[in-house]
């Protein structure tokens, strides 16, 4: 991910300054979890970045997403669900962030990115 993309995400996010570093760190964890030989489109990075910004905002506000239907989870490779859990576990400054719905939505982003979408 380029610094330009990170800057764009941070400029557009509505995160308190205290959590902007958490967002950057989560994007670094995401980048490290994906295969090195793929070219992730800018639009995917922006989608991931804005999604993670909202994940952080929900955690700050102690909000949770509703449950996602199990048939959606059945379409995601378990590898990406595990990677998603590890990435969300990296938020040591935020509690209750690694819910089933948050994990699944991040896993969808990871799988799409790994497949070049």
């Amino acid at each position: 991910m380029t610094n330009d993309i990170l800057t764009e995400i941070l400029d557009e996010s509505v995160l308190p300054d205290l959590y902007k570093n958490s967002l950057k760190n989560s994007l670094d964890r995401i980048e490290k979890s994906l295969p090195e030989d793929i070219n992730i489109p800018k639009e995917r990075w922006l989608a991931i970045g804005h999604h993670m910004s909202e994940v952080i905002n929900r955690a700050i506000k102690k909000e949770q997403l509703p449950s996602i239907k199990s048939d959606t989870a059945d379409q995601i490779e378990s590898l990406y669900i595990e990677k998603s859990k590890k990435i969300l576990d990296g938020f040591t400054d935020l509690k209750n962030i690694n819910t089933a719905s948050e994990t699944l939505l991040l896993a969808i982003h990871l799988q799409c990115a790994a497949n070049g979408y």
Side-chain angles (χ1 to χ4, degrees), residues 30-31 33-41 44-45 48 76-77 79-81 83 106-117:
I30 288 169
E31 187 168 37
S33 76
L34 295 169
E36 293 179 24
D37 61 340
I38 63 165
N39 183 20
I40 301 169
R44 175 58 52 194
W45 271 122
I48 292 170
I76 306 302
E77 294 177 37
L79 168 70
Y80 296 106
I81 292 173
K83 286 178 184 254
L106 179 55
I108 291 169
H109 279 298
L110 296 178
Q111 186 168 329
C112 288
N115 291 320
Y117 301 122

Side-chain angles (χ1 to χ4, degrees), residues 64-90:
Q64 290 192 354
L65 290 173
S67 296
I68 297 176
K69 294 179 182 179
S70 62
D71 61 334
T72 301
D74 295 342
Q75 299 175 47
I76 306 302
E77 294 177 37
S78 61
L79 168 70
Y80 296 106
I81 292 173
E82 290 306 312
K83 286 178 184 254
S84 178
K85 286 178 185 177
K86 287 180 184 176
I87 291 164
L88 292 172
D89 281 344

Side-chain angles (χ1 to χ4, degrees), residues 4-115:
D4 292 343
I5 293 173
L6 177 62
T7 300
E8 186 173 341
I9 293 166
L10 289 172
D11 286 348
E12 293 176 1
S13 72
V14 291
L15 284 177
D17 288 339
L18 178 65
Y19 292 100
K20 288 188 177 186
N21 199 46
S22 294
L23 176 61
K24 181 190 178 311
N25 291 339
S26 71
L27 296 175
D28 288 343
R29 289 192 304 274
I30 288 169
E31 187 168 37
K32 289 176 185 169
S33 76
L34 295 169
E36 293 179 24
D37 61 340
I38 63 165
N39 183 20
I40 301 169
K42 178 182 179 180
E43 294 77 18
R44 175 58 52 194
W45 271 122
L46 291 172
I48 292 170
H50 288 290
H51 171 80
M52 293 310 298
S53 176
E54 289 305 310
V55 168
I56 294 168
N57 275 323
R58 281 190 289 276
I60 292 168
K61 296 174 185 176
K62 297 180 177 26
E63 296 174 351
Q64 290 192 354
L65 290 173
S67 296
I68 297 176
K69 294 179 182 179
S70 62
D71 61 334
T72 301
D74 295 342
Q75 299 175 47
I76 306 302
E77 294 177 37
S78 61
L79 168 70
Y80 296 106
I81 292 173
E82 290 306 312
K83 286 178 184 254
S84 178
K85 286 178 185 177
K86 287 180 184 176
I87 291 164
L88 292 172
D89 281 344
F91 283 102
T92 56
D93 54 339
L94 293 167
K95 304 227 185 284
N96 301 322
I97 201 167
N98 199 352
T99 66
S101 294
E102 295 290 8
T103 300
L104 186 58
L105 288 178
L106 179 55
I108 291 169
H109 279 298
L110 296 178
Q111 186 168 329
C112 288
N115 291 320

